[in-house]
Amino acid sequence: TTPTGSMFFGMSYAPGQPWHDVRVRRAMSMSMDRDVFADVVLNPKQYDSIGVKLNVRWNAPMSAGYGAYWLDPKSQGFGPAAAYLQHNVGESVKLLAAAGYTAAKPLEFDVLFPGTYYATDWPTRAETWQSMMKDAGIKTNLITIDYATDYIPKVVKAKAQFKGRKAEAAVQLIPGGAQP
């Protein structure tokens, strides 16, 4: 079995948000190197010296924790959508340009999250994604907000109708995963 503890972006679908364009969602996904993310955040090689081999699996629309129900995004069986989960900065830049975002007018959005509420490494996770997206020309503003007074009532319970603080476009950083 594969227990998973991950995170994902919950995109705001308020009017005017860039996420209404599939090219933007795909570009953002392709800007991320999931293997590097796992190395930075989980550091699976640290267990090699004690004889433990960790299998790192990418979550897809269904978490790797669902065992036999999970389809590996790196496999042939995943189909053409697997391309959007691969790290491909060049294609990410092309998709952004087709959606109207360039170096002169970059995609900018806020990443709203409750600091270390979910885990002490949550800021590191957010900074890692931020660094990867920057390589594709995407500008992210990491915004830590109070869990009780801001995050839950104004973001989580907003039914995907929230806006950022510095930029109007916004996503929330949500804990996710599954236990079989």
Side-chain angles (χ1 to χ4, degrees):
T1 61
T2 305
T4 62
S6 61
M7 59 184 219
F8 61 94
F9 292 110
M11 298 170 175
S12 171
Y13 279 89
Q17 293 287 313
W19 320 119
H20 294 287
D21 188 329
V22 68
R23 297 170 299 186
V24 173
R25 297 191 306 268
R26 289 174 174 167
M28 191 170 109
S29 178
M30 295 173 82
S31 74
M32 300 174 188
D33 188 327
R34 288 157 175 82
D35 288 324
V36 169
F37 181 80
D39 287 344
V40 169
V41 174
L42 304 173
N43 190 15
K45 290 185 176 113
Q46 71 181 315
Y47 298 97
D48 290 349
S49 65
I50 60 171
V52 176
K53 171 71 175 128
L54 294 183
N55 293 319
V56 176
R57 296 186 172 135
W58 296 358
N59 284 336
M62 183 170 284
S63 166
Y66 283 104
Y69 297 101
W70 171 74
L71 186 58
D72 186 351
K74 294 181 182 181
S75 73
Q76 291 290 333
F78 201 83
Y84 304 117
L85 295 172
Q86 301 297 319
H87 182 234
N88 188 336
V89 173
E91 191 60 30
S92 177
V93 170
K94 288 178 190 174
L95 285 168
L96 288 168
Y101 298 100
T102 63
K105 183 194 166 212
L107 171 63
E108 180 179 358
F109 63 92
D110 289 355
V111 178
L112 307 172
F113 68 103
T116 58
Y117 183 84
Y118 292 121
T120 57
D121 70 345
W122 222 246
T124 300
R125 293 172 181 226
E127 290 164 0
T128 303
W129 287 133
Q130 180 184 45
S131 175
M132 290 177 188
M133 287 185 276
K134 183 179 180 183
D135 290 344
I138 300 170
K139 182 179 182 201
T140 57
N141 306 309
L142 303 181
I143 311 289
T144 301
I145 58 178
D146 183 76
Y147 181 80
T149 61
D150 257 354
Y151 187 68
I152 294 299
K154 297 176 184 173
V155 177
V156 173
K157 291 187 177 181
K159 298 181 181 177
Q161 301 292 313
F162 56 91
K163 293 184 179 174
R165 306 301 194 266
K166 291 183 180 177
E168 189 169 314
V171 300
Q172 61 174 308
L173 206 50
I174 304 171
Q179 300 287 334

